[in-house]
């Protein structure tokens, strides 16, 4: 009974601390730059060197220093530049096609390969042809005997 109350208190503090993000690590600028697209050159920020991209990188670093989360930084950039600034398409609506079509194409390719392998493995050897003409078989035997020595 003596350990029950302190143990419950410690567990509650740990759970509340985990829920508020106290243990969360700050976002890395390199990770965010790989997830955001320059609105001018349409490449990710880590690959772009345009003036707009450089200003976005500086903004990201300033917001990280101020303690903002990655999602908050992304939301601010989306509010300023629009949803096309995100490198990943949205996971809903029309953007869902960008996530599903590659999976459908892989599944269709696997089915096609499976059908082809099955049909190739089920092919039978051609039926044996008619035996050679006796005169031709005798001639082949003579030629082989002469060739062998």
């Amino acid at each position: 009974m003596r350990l029950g109350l302190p143990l419950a208190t410690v567990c509650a503090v740990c759970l509340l601390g985990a829920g508020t993000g106290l243990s969360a690590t700050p976002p890395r600028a390199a990770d965010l730059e790989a997830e955001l697209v320059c609105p001018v050159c349409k490449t990710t920020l880590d690959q772009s060197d345009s003036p707009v991209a450089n200003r976005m990188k500086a903004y990201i670093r300033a917001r990280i220093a101020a303690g903002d989360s990655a999602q908050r930084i992304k939301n601010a950039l989306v509010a300023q530049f629009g949803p096309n600034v995100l490198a990943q398409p949205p996971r809903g609506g029309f953007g869902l096609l960008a996530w599903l079509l590659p999976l459908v194409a892989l599944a269709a390719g696997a089915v096609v390969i499976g059908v082809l392998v099955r049909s190739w493995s089920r092919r039978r050897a051609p039926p044996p042809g008619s035996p050679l003409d006796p005169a031709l078989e005798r001639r082949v035997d003579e030629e082989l005997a002469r060739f062998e020595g």
Side-chain angles (χ1 to χ4, degrees):
M1 189 73 162
R2 290 181 189 171
L3 292 176
L5 185 59
L7 184 61
T9 305
V10 169
C11 288
V13 168
C14 288
L15 289 175
L16 287 175
T20 59
L22 293 175
S23 64
T25 60
R28 291 184 21 186
D31 293 338
L32 283 171
E33 290 172 7
E35 297 172 6
L36 295 167
V37 175
C38 172
V40 174
C41 59
K42 306 298 185 212
T43 61
T44 56
L45 291 179
D46 58 353
Q47 297 176 352
S48 179
D49 201 26
S50 72
V52 173
N54 289 334
R55 284 195 302 268
M56 289 174 74
K57 291 176 190 179
Y59 175 79
I60 290 169
R61 286 184 177 80
R63 296 315 318 155
I64 289 173
D68 284 355
S69 68
Q71 191 59 47
R72 193 169 186 176
I73 296 169
K74 286 181 188 179
N75 289 344
L77 290 171
V78 167
Q80 186 175 358
F81 294 104
N84 291 336
V85 78
L86 297 174
Q88 289 184 344
R91 290 193 172 123
F94 187 70
L96 191 59
L97 284 176
W99 291 99
L100 293 179
L101 283 180
L103 298 175
V104 170
L106 283 173
V111 168
V112 167
I113 289 172
V115 168
L116 287 174
V117 166
R118 184 180 172 120
S119 70
W120 289 334
S121 68
R122 299 221 182 253
R123 285 189 182 166
R124 294 199 164 97
S130 59
L132 290 177
D133 181 34
L136 181 59
E137 188 173 354
R138 184 179 44 78
R139 184 173 168 204
V140 168
D141 287 340
E142 289 172 359
E143 291 291 329
L144 285 174
R146 192 168 40 136
F147 180 72
E148 292 174 354

